[in-house]
Amino acid sequence: GFVNAHCHLELSHLKDQIQTGTGLDGFVEKLMDIRQNDPDTIARAILNADAEMYDTGTVFVGDISNGTNSFQCKENSKILYHTFVERFGFHSDKADSAYHSGKQVLEKLQQLQHNHRGNLTLHAPYSVSEKLLTLVCNEISQHGGILSIHNQETSTERDLFLSGKGALTSRLEKMGIYDGNWSAPGISSLQWLHEKIPDSIRVLLVHNTFTELSDLQGWLNRDAWLCLCPGANL
């Protein structure tokens, strides 16, 4: 069967609701506007997406969850799921709350009779503080799991890490999550992750649309994998 290594099952109700061709900035802006919906619509869309994946040959899914909306479906699904409980938090002073709220979601997942496997993970290098990264890495080191993280989906991610400027910086400021005290490390986000993530942790890098050969140096001898998302690129 097929393996879907990166899925957002809880966002299934947004299928065909966002215009294509707007780039990541347009996608995220629209996503923030329409993400909320009534619980019945969300639950129905999750069940339909799960059934569609199974009917077309998917047997295993690595699924991103920010909350518990997909858990009832997973408990009764014919598909085997590994749930990545995703955390955000660019500000260091919000790291503890982001970590502990994620632990609460993870504990609810682990109470399921079926498909209860999962671990905390991080959204993207540009949306997490170094403190939150350390907390999540320590959690994975102690309890096992895989660090799944969105990587270099847009060229502006490189601009942010090299200079602290560019379109992504402006978008983070607009969303109110950019930390003005943050200093750009002067290296790419993937090189930065290589320095910060312990070698012992298995890593799933998602998207990699603007990853360059130089970014991969140092990763070649680690337990790291690339997940490509051609549908998102289109």
Side-chain angles (χ1 to χ4, degrees):
F2 293 119
V3 171
N4 181 350
H6 184 76
C7 180
H8 290 260
L9 190 62
E10 66 188 7
L11 300 182
S12 298
H13 63 288
L14 302 181
K15 183 180 181 180
D16 299 328
Q17 298 298 308
I18 299 178
Q19 181 182 351
T20 61
T22 63
L24 185 63
D25 285 344
F27 173 82
V28 171
E29 187 171 343
K30 184 64 174 178
L31 178 66
M32 293 299 102
D33 289 340
I34 66 172
R35 180 165 185 155
Q36 299 301 322
N37 210 315
D38 70 274
D40 289 340
T41 299
I42 293 174
R44 213 165 31 243
I46 288 172
L47 288 171
N48 289 340
D50 175 80
E52 180 182 349
M53 284 192 287
Y54 180 78
D55 290 342
T56 51
T58 299
V59 297
F60 185 88
V61 177
D63 185 58
I64 302 294
S65 293
N66 285 274
T68 61
N69 286 340
S70 65
F71 289 5
Q72 184 173 354
C73 172
K74 288 172 179 174
E75 187 157 37
N76 298 298
S77 177
K78 298 176 182 178
I79 295 174
L80 187 64
Y81 281 91
H82 184 97
T83 298
F84 297 108
V85 178
E86 185 179 69
R87 296 294 86 196
F88 298 79
F90 196 82
H91 295 269
S92 295
D93 59 0
K94 296 182 179 178
D96 289 325
S97 61
Y99 171 75
H100 289 297
S101 62
K103 286 283 287 182
Q104 291 175 348
V105 174
L106 186 62
E107 287 169 1
K108 291 181 180 178
L109 174 75
Q110 293 167 341
Q111 292 170 8
L112 300 182
Q113 297 300 309
H114 175 57
N115 275 326
H116 51 266
R117 294 183 180 181
N119 59 266
L120 295 187
T121 199
L122 299 168
H123 171 250
Y126 60 81
S127 62
V128 300
S129 64
E130 186 172 340
K131 181 179 179 180
L132 180 56
L133 184 147
T134 299
L135 287 170
V136 170
C137 285
N138 288 342
E139 171 80 13
I140 293 175
S141 294
Q142 293 176 24
H143 301 289
I146 302 168
L147 181 64
S148 172
I149 188 166
H150 299 80
N151 173 62
Q152 296 173 315
E153 188 176 359
T154 171
S155 61
T156 56
E157 185 173 322
R158 182 174 298 274
D159 298 333
L160 173 66
F161 274 77
L162 290 179
S163 66
K165 301 177 181 179
L168 181 56
T169 308
S170 300
R171 175 157 63 84
L172 293 175
E173 289 175 339
K174 183 179 179 181
M175 295 173 67
I177 62 174
Y178 182 70
D179 187 345
N181 296 320
W182 183 78
S183 297
I187 55 178
S188 76
S189 54
L190 188 52
Q191 291 169 330
W192 181 81
L193 285 176
H194 181 265
E195 291 184 358
K196 302 301 179 183
I197 298 174
D199 290 355
S200 59
I201 290 181
R202 291 185 292 168
V203 181
L204 180 64
L205 301 166
V206 179
H207 292 297
N208 315 295
T209 317
F210 292 89
T211 300
E212 299 181 4
L213 181 60
S214 59
D215 296 324
L216 295 175
Q217 301 304 315
W219 287 98
L220 301 179
N221 295 320
R222 292 181 57 168
D223 194 352
W225 300 80
L226 303 181
C227 172
L228 308 179
C229 303
N233 292 348
L234 290 172

